[in-house]
Amino acid sequence: MTRKELAERLKHASAAVIAAEAELTEIDSKFGDADHGLTMTKIAKAISAAAEAADGGIQSMLDDAAMAVMSLNGGSAVPLWNTWLDGMQEEAPEGEEIDVAGIKAIFAKAFEEIDDMSGAKVGDKTMMDALIPASEAIAAYEGDSEDELFAAAAKAAAEGAENSKNFVSKFGRAKSYGAQTIGTPDAGATSMAYFFRGLAQA
């Protein structure tokens, strides 16, 4: 996969998140600050702009995306997404091409970095409910098709976000609502699932 092709996937991923802004706001308004849709739209636009403007290699593009997100004012999502993207660029090739093994490496490093920072596990009702299954799907993929790899990740992320409905919030403002949060998906998991859905679009 070329840097240009990865940039297109990042732009599709960003567009999917931006299109879901109203849904994310509605979810977050129930037990959060009702700002997740706006925050994620800022993050998605920063990622998309970095992908659009990229003229170097893959590592440079991902570094630009991470830096663009880091400069934003926003909720807890900003440092988490910055950490995730920064982890990707650490393992990314400097050149303009990446193979499936390389994709698996950048997502493994990205997960390692955000896992260290977040500490949340599946069942804690956070973005990790989507990101952990997606990361595991990428790690488990044994083929040589980036289309199949991202499709598997998107499916796992969507299922994880849907499954977050069954959990009690253990982080953030929603934590104080306890069992009332059962039945509502986590906004962070939902936005992450939309991002992976977009990544699966070539």
Side-chain angles (χ1 to χ4, degrees):
M1 184 166 61
T2 64
R3 187 262 300 159
K4 188 174 180 180
E5 288 167 341
L6 179 56
E8 285 303 309
R9 287 185 187 268
L10 288 171
K11 287 191 281 185
H12 288 315
S14 300
V17 171
I18 293 166
E21 180 179 348
E23 178 187 346
L24 297 173
T25 298
E26 196 270 331
I27 293 171
D28 195 39
S29 69
K30 294 185 178 180
F31 307 108
D33 297 321
D35 63 350
H36 189 70
L38 179 61
T39 298
M40 285 309 306
T41 292
K42 288 180 185 176
I43 289 171
K45 285 180 176 178
I47 293 170
S48 186
E52 179 68 33
D55 59 1
I58 290 171
Q59 185 176 49
S60 173
M61 176 178 69
L62 292 171
D63 187 42
D64 287 349
M67 293 291 285
V69 170
M70 185 174 70
S71 68
L72 297 173
N73 291 318
S76 58
V78 168
L80 288 164
W81 277 76
N82 163 252
T83 298
W84 190 51
L85 291 163
D86 196 50
M88 281 189 208
Q89 70 85 20
E90 284 186 34
E91 282 293 320
E94 292 183 5
E96 296 213 4
E97 292 199 358
I98 188 167
D99 59 10
V100 167
I103 295 169
K104 291 178 68 168
I106 65 171
F107 278 95
K109 182 62 174 178
F111 177 73
E112 182 184 319
E113 293 297 319
I114 197 171
D115 188 44
D116 282 347
M117 179 187 185
S118 167
K121 306 300 179 190
V122 169
D124 289 341
K125 210 175 183 97
T126 70
M127 66 188 289
M128 302 299 275
D129 282 305
L131 182 54
I132 290 172
S135 299
E136 289 175 345
I138 292 171
Y141 179 71
E142 295 182 346
D144 59 2
S145 162
E146 58 260 19
D147 287 341
E148 289 178 0
L149 180 148
F150 283 122
K155 181 174 183 288
E159 289 172 354
E162 177 68 19
N163 204 30
S164 70
K165 287 181 178 178
N166 301 317
F167 306 138
V168 173
S169 292
K170 295 178 183 173
F171 284 81
R173 183 175 173 183
K175 181 181 178 181
S176 62
Y177 289 89
Q180 290 175 259
T181 59
I182 295 174
T184 300
D186 179 69
T190 303
S191 58
M192 182 60 75
Y194 275 116
F195 192 81
F196 272 104
R197 179 191 291 186
L199 279 178
Q201 293 178 254

mmCIF file of all heavy atoms in Angstrom, residues 137-188:
data_model
loop_
_atom_site.group_PDB
_atom_site.id
_atom_site.type_symbol
_atom_site.label_atom_id
_atom_site.label_comp_id
_atom_site.label_asym_id
_atom_site.label_seq_id
_atom_site.Cartn_x
_atom_site.Cartn_y
_atom_site.Cartn_z
ATOM 1 N N ALA A 137 -7.903 -8.076 16.117
ATOM 2 C CA ALA A 137 -8.228 -8.607 14.782
ATOM 3 C C ALA A 137 -7.077 -8.361 13.809
ATOM 4 O O ALA A 137 -6.747 -9.227 12.987
ATOM 5 C CB ALA A 137 -9.510 -7.962 14.261
ATOM 6 N N ILE A 138 -6.470 -7.181 13.901
ATOM 7 C CA ILE A 138 -5.322 -6.874 13.041
ATOM 8 C C ILE A 138 -4.154 -7.801 13.367
ATOM 9 O O ILE A 138 -3.508 -8.356 12.475
ATOM 10 C CB ILE A 138 -4.906 -5.392 13.195
ATOM 11 C CG1 ILE A 138 -5.991 -4.487 12.606
ATOM 12 C CG2 ILE A 138 -3.563 -5.125 12.512
ATOM 13 C CD1 ILE A 138 -5.797 -3.011 12.887
ATOM 14 N N ALA A 139 -3.887 -7.980 14.651
ATOM 15 C CA ALA A 139 -2.779 -8.841 15.075
ATOM 16 C C ALA A 139 -2.987 -10.290 14.641
ATOM 17 O O ALA A 139 -2.029 -10.997 14.315
ATOM 18 C CB ALA A 139 -2.612 -8.769 16.586
ATOM 19 N N ALA A 140 -4.251 -10.726 14.627
ATOM 20 C CA ALA A 140 -4.563 -12.121 14.305
ATOM 21 C C ALA A 140 -4.621 -12.392 12.802
ATOM 22 O O ALA A 140 -4.572 -13.557 12.373
ATOM 23 C CB ALA A 140 -5.899 -12.514 14.933
ATOM 24 N N TYR A 141 -4.718 -11.338 12.004
ATOM 25 C CA TYR A 141 -4.859 -11.515 10.564
ATOM 26 C C TYR A 141 -3.590 -12.119 9.965
ATOM 27 O O TYR A 141 -2.482 -11.661 10.241
ATOM 28 C CB TYR A 141 -5.175 -10.173 9.888
ATOM 29 C CG TYR A 141 -5.304 -10.288 8.394
ATOM 30 C CD1 TYR A 141 -6.403 -10.929 7.831
ATOM 31 C CD2 TYR A 141 -4.318 -9.789 7.547
ATOM 32 C CE1 TYR A 141 -6.513 -11.070 6.452
ATOM 33 C CE2 TYR A 141 -4.421 -9.916 6.174
ATOM 34 C CZ TYR A 141 -5.517 -10.562 5.630
ATOM 35 O OH TYR A 141 -5.623 -10.710 4.263
ATOM 36 N N GLU A 142 -3.772 -13.157 9.148
ATOM 37 C CA GLU A 142 -2.619 -13.880 8.613
ATOM 38 C C GLU A 142 -2.506 -13.821 7.092
ATOM 39 O O GLU A 142 -1.620 -14.449 6.517
ATOM 40 C CB GLU A 142 -2.667 -15.348 9.068
ATOM 41 C CG GLU A 142 -2.517 -15.507 10.582
ATOM 42 C CD GLU A 142 -2.514 -16.959 11.025
ATOM 43 O OE1 GLU A 142 -2.893 -17.832 10.217
ATOM 44 O OE2 GLU A 142 -2.148 -17.209 12.184
ATOM 45 N N GLY A 143 -3.382 -13.078 6.449
ATOM 46 C CA GLY A 143 -3.334 -12.986 4.989
ATOM 47 C C GLY A 143 -2.402 -11.888 4.508
ATOM 48 O O GLY A 143 -1.578 -11.371 5.270
ATOM 49 N N ASP A 144 -2.556 -11.514 3.227
ATOM 50 C CA ASP A 144 -1.689 -10.476 2.670
ATOM 51 C C ASP A 144 -2.490 -9.389 1.953
ATOM 52 O O ASP A 144 -2.002 -8.732 1.038
ATOM 53 C CB ASP A 144 -0.653 -11.089 1.716
ATOM 54 C CG ASP A 144 -1.291 -11.848 0.559
ATOM 55 O OD1 ASP A 144 -2.546 -11.867 0.470
ATOM 56 O OD2 ASP A 144 -0.541 -12.416 -0.248
ATOM 57 N N SER A 145 -3.745 -9.204 2.381
ATOM 58 C CA SER A 145 -4.616 -8.200 1.768
ATOM 59 C C SER A 145 -4.971 -7.123 2.787
ATOM 60 O O SER A 145 -5.587 -7.413 3.818
ATOM 61 C CB SER A 145 -5.908 -8.859 1.256
ATOM 62 O OG SER A 145 -6.915 -7.893 1.039
ATOM 63 N N GLU A 146 -4.578 -5.883 2.495
ATOM 64 C CA GLU A 146 -4.937 -4.816 3.429
ATOM 65 C C GLU A 146 -6.451 -4.606 3.473
ATOM 66 O O GLU A 146 -7.000 -4.200 4.500
ATOM 67 C CB GLU A 146 -4.232 -3.500 3.099
ATOM 68 C CG GLU A 146 -4.473 -2.957 1.725
ATOM 69 C CD GLU A 146 -3.326 -3.265 0.770
ATOM 70 O OE1 GLU A 146 -2.536 -4.170 1.042
ATOM 71 O OE2 GLU A 146 -3.232 -2.558 -0.249
ATOM 72 N N ASP A 147 -7.143 -4.898 2.360
ATOM 73 C CA ASP A 147 -8.610 -4.790 2.365
ATOM 74 C C ASP A 147 -9.211 -5.742 3.396
ATOM 75 O O ASP A 147 -10.084 -5.353 4.179
ATOM 76 C CB ASP A 147 -9.175 -5.134 0.981
ATOM 77 C CG ASP A 147 -8.913 -4.038 -0.045
ATOM 78 O OD1 ASP A 147 -8.626 -2.892 0.374
ATOM 79 O OD2 ASP A 147 -9.011 -4.318 -1.251
ATOM 80 N N GLU A 148 -8.745 -6.969 3.395
ATOM 81 C CA GLU A 148 -9.260 -7.961 4.347
ATOM 82 C C GLU A 148 -8.885 -7.596 5.773
ATOM 83 O O GLU A 148 -9.682 -7.754 6.703
ATOM 84 C CB GLU A 148 -8.707 -9.355 4.004
ATOM 85 C CG GLU A 148 -9.275 -9.961 2.741
ATOM 86 C CD GLU A 148 -8.657 -11.324 2.440
ATOM 87 O OE1 GLU A 148 -7.795 -11.788 3.228
ATOM 88 O OE2 GLU A 148 -9.031 -11.921 1.413
ATOM 89 N N LEU A 149 -7.663 -7.105 5.953
ATOM 90 C CA LEU A 149 -7.194 -6.726 7.284
ATOM 91 C C LEU A 149 -8.077 -5.627 7.874
ATOM 92 O O LEU A 149 -8.558 -5.733 9.011
ATOM 93 C CB LEU A 149 -5.742 -6.265 7.209
ATOM 94 C CG LEU A 149 -5.074 -5.813 8.523
ATOM 95 C CD1 LEU A 149 -3.584 -6.129 8.494
ATOM 96 C CD2 LEU A 149 -5.266 -4.314 8.759
ATOM 97 N N PHE A 150 -8.311 -4.561 7.100
ATOM 98 C CA PHE A 150 -9.109 -3.454 7.615
ATOM 99 C C PHE A 150 -10.582 -3.840 7.761
ATOM 100 O O PHE A 150 -11.266 -3.336 8.661
ATOM 101 C CB PHE A 150 -8.956 -2.220 6.719
ATOM 102 C CG PHE A 150 -7.653 -1.493 6.927
ATOM 103 C CD1 PHE A 150 -6.768 -1.301 5.872
ATOM 104 C CD2 PHE A 150 -7.297 -1.007 8.174
ATOM 105 C CE1 PHE A 150 -5.568 -0.632 6.059
ATOM 106 C CE2 PHE A 150 -6.093 -0.337 8.376
ATOM 107 C CZ PHE A 150 -5.231 -0.147 7.315
ATOM 108 N N ALA A 151 -11.065 -4.727 6.897
ATOM 109 C CA ALA A 151 -12.448 -5.197 7.031
ATOM 110 C C ALA A 151 -12.625 -5.973 8.333
ATOM 111 O O ALA A 151 -13.640 -5.808 9.037
ATOM 112 C CB ALA A 151 -12.828 -6.071 5.832
ATOM 113 N N ALA A 152 -11.650 -6.803 8.664
ATOM 114 C CA ALA A 152 -11.711 -7.568 9.919
ATOM 115 C C ALA A 152 -11.659 -6.630 11.123
ATOM 116 O O ALA A 152 -12.395 -6.818 12.105
ATOM 117 C CB ALA A 152 -10.551 -8.559 9.969
ATOM 118 N N ALA A 153 -10.812 -5.611 11.042
ATOM 119 C CA ALA A 153 -10.698 -4.647 12.132
ATOM 120 C C ALA A 153 -11.989 -3.861 12.297
ATOM 121 O O ALA A 153 -12.454 -3.623 13.424
ATOM 122 C CB ALA A 153 -9.529 -3.698 11.873
ATOM 123 N N ALA A 154 -12.588 -3.450 11.178
ATOM 124 C CA ALA A 154 -13.829 -2.673 11.234
ATOM 125 C C ALA A 154 -14.964 -3.488 11.834
ATOM 126 O O ALA A 154 -15.760 -2.975 12.634
ATOM 127 C CB ALA A 154 -14.201 -2.196 9.828
ATOM 128 N N LYS A 155 -15.041 -4.750 11.448
ATOM 129 C CA LYS A 155 -16.081 -5.633 11.987
ATOM 130 C C LYS A 155 -15.911 -5.794 13.495
ATOM 131 O O LYS A 155 -16.875 -5.694 14.265
ATOM 132 C CB LYS A 155 -16.012 -6.991 11.298
ATOM 133 C CG LYS A 155 -17.064 -8.000 11.758
ATOM 134 C CD LYS A 155 -16.994 -9.255 10.891
ATOM 135 C CE LYS A 155 -18.082 -10.262 11.270
ATOM 136 N NZ LYS A 155 -17.818 -10.911 12.564
ATOM 137 N N ALA A 156 -14.683 -6.016 13.934
ATOM 138 C CA ALA A 156 -14.411 -6.206 15.358
ATOM 139 C C ALA A 156 -14.706 -4.934 16.151
ATOM 140 O O ALA A 156 -15.265 -4.981 17.257
ATOM 141 C CB ALA A 156 -12.960 -6.632 15.563
ATOM 142 N N ALA A 157 -14.346 -3.779 15.583
ATOM 143 C CA ALA A 157 -14.593 -2.498 16.259
ATOM 144 C C ALA A 157 -16.090 -2.234 16.385
ATOM 145 O O ALA A 157 -16.564 -1.773 17.439
ATOM 146 C CB ALA A 157 -13.911 -1.364 15.500
ATOM 147 N N ALA A 158 -16.836 -2.515 15.325
ATOM 148 C CA ALA A 158 -18.291 -2.294 15.350
ATOM 149 C C ALA A 158 -18.963 -3.183 16.379
ATOM 150 O O ALA A 158 -19.839 -2.746 17.136
ATOM 151 C CB ALA A 158 -18.878 -2.548 13.956
ATOM 152 N N GLU A 159 -18.537 -4.438 16.416
ATOM 153 C CA GLU A 159 -19.104 -5.368 17.403
ATOM 154 C C GLU A 159 -18.740 -4.939 18.818
ATOM 155 O O GLU A 159 -19.550 -5.030 19.741
ATOM 156 C CB GLU A 159 -18.604 -6.789 17.126
ATOM 157 C CG GLU A 159 -19.199 -7.392 15.862
ATOM 158 C CD GLU A 159 -18.554 -8.718 15.473
ATOM 159 O OE1 GLU A 159 -17.559 -9.114 16.118
ATOM 160 O OE2 GLU A 159 -19.040 -9.340 14.506
ATOM 161 N N GLY A 160 -17.517 -4.444 18.997
ATOM 162 C CA GLY A 160 -17.082 -3.981 20.308
ATOM 163 C C GLY A 160 -17.869 -2.775 20.781
ATOM 164 O O GLY A 160 -18.255 -2.686 21.954
ATOM 165 N N ALA A 161 -18.106 -1.832 19.864
ATOM 166 C CA ALA A 161 -18.879 -0.632 20.211
ATOM 167 C C ALA A 161 -20.312 -1.011 20.571
ATOM 168 O O ALA A 161 -20.876 -0.492 21.549
ATOM 169 C CB ALA A 161 -18.858 0.351 19.047
ATOM 170 N N GLU A 162 -20.892 -1.902 19.800
ATOM 171 C CA GLU A 162 -22.262 -2.360 20.089
ATOM 172 C C GLU A 162 -22.312 -3.067 21.439
ATOM 173 O O GLU A 162 -23.249 -2.866 22.231
ATOM 174 C CB GLU A 162 -22.727 -3.306 18.968
ATOM 175 C CG GLU A 162 -24.106 -3.908 19.173
ATOM 176 C CD GLU A 162 -25.240 -2.906 19.092
ATOM 177 O OE1 GLU A 162 -25.045 -1.809 18.529
ATOM 178 O OE2 GLU A 162 -26.331 -3.222 19.596
ATOM 179 N N ASN A 163 -21.299 -3.853 21.718
ATOM 180 C CA ASN A 163 -21.254 -4.611 22.971
ATOM 181 C C ASN A 163 -21.100 -3.701 24.188
ATOM 182 O O ASN A 163 -21.461 -4.082 25.308
ATOM 183 C CB ASN A 163 -20.092 -5.612 22.915
ATOM 184 C CG ASN A 163 -20.287 -6.791 23.846
ATOM 185 O OD1 ASN A 163 -21.414 -7.203 24.120
ATOM 186 N ND2 ASN A 163 -19.201 -7.335 24.350
ATOM 187 N N SER A 164 -20.573 -2.484 23.967
ATOM 188 C CA SER A 164 -20.377 -1.564 25.094
ATOM 189 C C SER A 164 -21.705 -1.144 25.724
ATOM 190 O O SER A 164 -21.725 -0.634 26.846
ATOM 191 C CB SER A 164 -19.573 -0.332 24.654
ATOM 192 O OG SER A 164 -20.323 0.516 23.799
ATOM 193 N N LYS A 165 -22.808 -1.367 25.004
ATOM 194 C CA LYS A 165 -24.138 -1.097 25.577
ATOM 195 C C LYS A 165 -24.369 -1.904 26.852
ATOM 196 O O LYS A 165 -25.139 -1.500 27.723
ATOM 197 C CB LYS A 165 -25.236 -1.477 24.567
ATOM 198 C CG LYS A 165 -25.397 -0.548 23.396
ATOM 199 C CD LYS A 165 -26.528 -1.054 22.519
ATOM 200 C CE LYS A 165 -26.780 -0.127 21.341
ATOM 201 N NZ LYS A 165 -27.865 -0.662 20.467
ATOM 202 N N ASN A 166 -23.731 -3.074 26.928
ATOM 203 C CA ASN A 166 -24.005 -4.007 28.022
ATOM 204 C C ASN A 166 -23.222 -3.702 29.292
ATOM 205 O O ASN A 166 -23.423 -4.374 30.309
ATOM 206 C CB ASN A 166 -23.672 -5.434 27.569
ATOM 207 C CG ASN A 166 -24.467 -5.852 26.347
ATOM 208 O OD1 ASN A 166 -25.663 -5.591 26.272
ATOM 209 N ND2 ASN A 166 -23.810 -6.484 25.381
ATOM 210 N N PHE A 167 -22.353 -2.699 29.244
ATOM 211 C CA PHE A 167 -21.437 -2.460 30.368
ATOM 212 C C PHE A 167 -21.824 -1.238 31.190
ATOM 213 O O PHE A 167 -22.533 -0.350 30.728
ATOM 214 C CB PHE A 167 -20.003 -2.273 29.847
ATOM 215 C CG PHE A 167 -19.512 -3.390 28.971
ATOM 216 C CD1 PHE A 167 -18.793 -3.133 27.819
ATOM 217 C CD2 PHE A 167 -19.772 -4.709 29.304
ATOM 218 C CE1 PHE A 167 -18.340 -4.167 27.006
ATOM 219 C CE2 PHE A 167 -19.324 -5.751 28.498
ATOM 220 C CZ PHE A 167 -18.610 -5.475 27.347
ATOM 221 N N VAL A 168 -21.314 -1.207 32.404
ATOM 222 C CA VAL A 168 -21.448 -0.056 33.289
ATOM 223 C C VAL A 168 -20.210 0.820 33.117
ATOM 224 O O VAL A 168 -19.082 0.313 33.127
ATOM 225 C CB VAL A 168 -21.565 -0.511 34.762
ATOM 226 C CG1 VAL A 168 -21.529 0.689 35.712
ATOM 227 C CG2 VAL A 168 -22.839 -1.323 34.972
ATOM 228 N N SER A 169 -20.406 2.117 32.967
ATOM 229 C CA SER A 169 -19.265 3.039 32.791
ATOM 230 C C SER A 169 -18.362 3.041 34.018
ATOM 231 O O SER A 169 -18.844 3.144 35.151
ATOM 232 C CB SER A 169 -19.769 4.457 32.524
ATOM 233 O OG SER A 169 -20.395 4.536 31.273
ATOM 234 N N LYS A 170 -17.078 2.943 33.781
ATOM 235 C CA LYS A 170 -16.102 2.918 34.877
ATOM 236 C C LYS A 170 -15.099 4.072 34.800
ATOM 237 O O LYS A 170 -14.203 4.169 35.632
ATOM 238 C CB LYS A 170 -15.356 1.585 34.885
ATOM 239 C CG LYS A 170 -16.280 0.399 35.188
ATOM 240 C CD LYS A 170 -15.545 -0.922 35.136
ATOM 241 C CE LYS A 170 -16.509 -2.084 35.363
ATOM 242 N NZ LYS A 170 -15.873 -3.385 35.151
ATOM 243 N N PHE A 171 -15.253 4.946 33.805
ATOM 244 C CA PHE A 171 -14.341 6.079 33.635
ATOM 245 C C PHE A 171 -15.155 7.346 33.375
ATOM 246 O O PHE A 171 -16.268 7.289 32.886
ATOM 247 C CB PHE A 171 -13.380 5.849 32.460
ATOM 248 C CG PHE A 171 -12.263 4.888 32.755
ATOM 249 C CD1 PHE A 171 -12.458 3.514 32.694
ATOM 250 C CD2 PHE A 171 -10.994 5.354 33.088
ATOM 251 C CE1 PHE A 171 -11.435 2.622 32.952
ATOM 252 C CE2 PHE A 171 -9.949 4.467 33.343
ATOM 253 C CZ PHE A 171 -10.170 3.110 33.282
ATOM 254 N N GLY A 172 -14.556 8.490 33.673
ATOM 255 C CA GLY A 172 -15.129 9.775 33.304
ATOM 256 C C GLY A 172 -16.409 10.125 34.039
ATOM 257 O O GLY A 172 -16.794 9.501 35.029
ATOM 258 N N ARG A 173 -17.065 11.141 33.513
ATOM 259 C CA ARG A 173 -18.285 11.648 34.140
ATOM 260 C C ARG A 173 -19.371 10.576 34.207
ATOM 261 O O ARG A 173 -20.153 10.530 35.160
ATOM 262 C CB ARG A 173 -18.783 12.865 33.341
ATOM 263 C CG ARG A 173 -20.002 13.532 33.928
ATOM 264 C CD ARG A 173 -20.361 14.787 33.156
ATOM 265 N NE ARG A 173 -21.618 15.334 33.624
ATOM 266 C CZ ARG A 173 -22.205 16.388 33.089
ATOM 267 N NH1 ARG A 173 -21.646 17.014 32.082
ATOM 268 N NH2 ARG A 173 -23.351 16.830 33.558
ATOM 269 N N ALA A 174 -19.446 9.731 33.173
ATOM 270 C CA ALA A 174 -20.498 8.707 33.119
ATOM 271 C C ALA A 174 -20.403 7.711 34.263
ATOM 272 O O ALA A 174 -21.393 7.065 34.620
ATOM 273 C CB ALA A 174 -20.418 7.968 31.779
ATOM 274 N N LYS A 175 -19.220 7.600 34.850
ATOM 275 C CA LYS A 175 -19.011 6.643 35.956
ATOM 276 C C LYS A 175 -20.014 6.855 37.092
ATOM 277 O O LYS A 175 -20.480 5.896 37.721
ATOM 278 C CB LYS A 175 -17.576 6.784 36.471
ATOM 279 C CG LYS A 175 -17.204 5.844 37.599
ATOM 280 C CD LYS A 175 -15.761 6.100 38.030
ATOM 281 C CE LYS A 175 -15.353 5.218 39.203
ATOM 282 N NZ LYS A 175 -13.963 5.495 39.624
ATOM 283 N N SER A 176 -20.371 8.119 37.346
ATOM 284 C CA SER A 176 -21.260 8.432 38.467
ATOM 285 C C SER A 176 -22.694 7.957 38.235
ATOM 286 O O SER A 176 -23.495 7.914 39.175
ATOM 287 C CB SER A 176 -21.263 9.945 38.735
ATOM 288 O OG SER A 176 -21.762 10.654 37.615
ATOM 289 N N TYR A 177 -23.027 7.608 36.999
ATOM 290 C CA TYR A 177 -24.387 7.159 36.692
ATOM 291 C C TYR A 177 -24.564 5.655 36.892
ATOM 292 O O TYR A 177 -25.685 5.153 36.825
ATOM 293 C CB TYR A 177 -24.760 7.529 35.260
ATOM 294 C CG TYR A 177 -24.975 9.002 35.053
ATOM 295 C CD1 TYR A 177 -23.918 9.843 34.706
ATOM 296 C CD2 TYR A 177 -26.239 9.570 35.210
ATOM 297 C CE1 TYR A 177 -24.114 11.206 34.512
ATOM 298 C CE2 TYR A 177 -26.450 10.926 35.023
ATOM 299 C CZ TYR A 177 -25.371 11.739 34.668
ATOM 300 O OH TYR A 177 -25.576 13.086 34.484
ATOM 301 N N GLY A 178 -23.466 4.936 37.116
ATOM 302 C CA GLY A 178 -23.543 3.510 37.426
ATOM 303 C C GLY A 178 -24.353 2.711 36.421
ATOM 304 O O GLY A 178 -24.194 2.845 35.203
ATOM 305 N N ALA A 179 -25.267 1.902 36.931
ATOM 306 C CA ALA A 179 -26.032 0.966 36.103
ATOM 307 C C ALA A 179 -26.952 1.663 35.110
ATOM 308 O O ALA A 179 -27.411 1.033 34.150
ATOM 309 C CB ALA A 179 -26.842 0.029 36.991
ATOM 310 N N GLN A 180 -27.216 2.955 35.309
ATOM 311 C CA GLN A 180 -28.040 3.688 34.348
ATOM 312 C C GLN A 180 -27.404 3.714 32.967
ATOM 313 O O GLN A 180 -28.101 3.884 31.955
ATOM 314 C CB GLN A 180 -28.246 5.136 34.814
ATOM 315 C CG GLN A 180 -29.141 5.300 36.016
ATOM 316 C CD GLN A 180 -29.185 6.768 36.461
ATOM 317 O OE1 GLN A 180 -28.529 7.152 37.415
ATOM 318 N NE2 GLN A 180 -29.940 7.581 35.744
ATOM 319 N N THR A 181 -26.091 3.549 32.917
ATOM 320 C CA THR A 181 -25.399 3.624 31.623
ATOM 321 C C THR A 181 -25.572 2.350 30.791
ATOM 322 O O THR A 181 -25.257 2.344 29.603
ATOM 323 C CB THR A 181 -23.895 3.908 31.810
ATOM 324 O OG1 THR A 181 -23.302 2.866 32.612
ATOM 325 C CG2 THR A 181 -23.673 5.244 32.507
ATOM 326 N N ILE A 182 -26.075 1.292 31.395
ATOM 327 C CA ILE A 182 -26.342 0.057 30.635
ATOM 328 C C ILE A 182 -27.446 0.346 29.613
ATOM 329 O O ILE A 182 -28.460 0.963 29.936
ATOM 330 C CB ILE A 182 -26.750 -1.093 31.568
ATOM 331 C CG1 ILE A 182 -25.575 -1.469 32.495
ATOM 332 C CG2 ILE A 182 -27.208 -2.313 30.769
ATOM 333 C CD1 ILE A 182 -25.938 -2.502 33.557
ATOM 334 N N GLY A 183 -27.234 -0.099 28.395
ATOM 335 C CA GLY A 183 -28.212 0.122 27.330
ATOM 336 C C GLY A 183 -27.788 1.202 26.350
ATOM 337 O O GLY A 183 -28.324 1.281 25.243
ATOM 338 N N THR A 184 -26.850 2.048 26.755
ATOM 339 C CA THR A 184 -26.318 3.095 25.880
ATOM 340 C C THR A 184 -24.890 2.737 25.501
ATOM 341 O O THR A 184 -24.090 2.415 26.380
ATOM 342 C CB THR A 184 -26.322 4.459 26.600
ATOM 343 O OG1 THR A 184 -27.664 4.798 26.979
ATOM 344 C CG2 THR A 184 -25.767 5.554 25.695
ATOM 345 N N PRO A 185 -24.547 2.776 24.214
ATOM 346 C CA PRO A 185 -23.169 2.475 23.838
ATOM 347 C C PRO A 185 -22.230 3.580 24.304
ATOM 348 O O PRO A 185 -22.674 4.706 24.573
ATOM 349 C CB PRO A 185 -23.216 2.410 22.306
ATOM 350 C CG PRO A 185 -24.357 3.310 21.932
ATOM 351 C CD PRO A 185 -25.364 3.156 23.039
ATOM 352 N N ASP A 186 -20.955 3.280 24.401
ATOM 353 C CA ASP A 186 -19.987 4.308 24.753
ATOM 354 C C ASP A 186 -19.702 5.179 23.532
ATOM 355 O O ASP A 186 -19.490 4.668 22.435
ATOM 356 C CB ASP A 186 -18.690 3.672 25.247
ATOM 357 C CG ASP A 186 -17.651 4.732 25.592
ATOM 358 O OD1 ASP A 186 -17.874 5.449 26.591
ATOM 359 O OD2 ASP A 186 -16.665 4.863 24.855
ATOM 360 N N ALA A 187 -19.681 6.488 23.745
ATOM 361 C CA ALA A 187 -19.454 7.411 22.630
ATOM 362 C C ALA A 187 -18.061 7.232 22.035
ATOM 363 O O ALA A 187 -17.883 7.259 20.806
ATOM 364 C CB ALA A 187 -19.648 8.850 23.104
ATOM 365 N N GLY A 188 -17.059 7.045 22.882
ATOM 366 C CA GLY A 188 -15.692 6.869 22.395
ATOM 367 C C GLY A 188 -15.517 5.595 21.596
ATOM 368 O O GLY A 188 -14.801 5.572 20.581
#
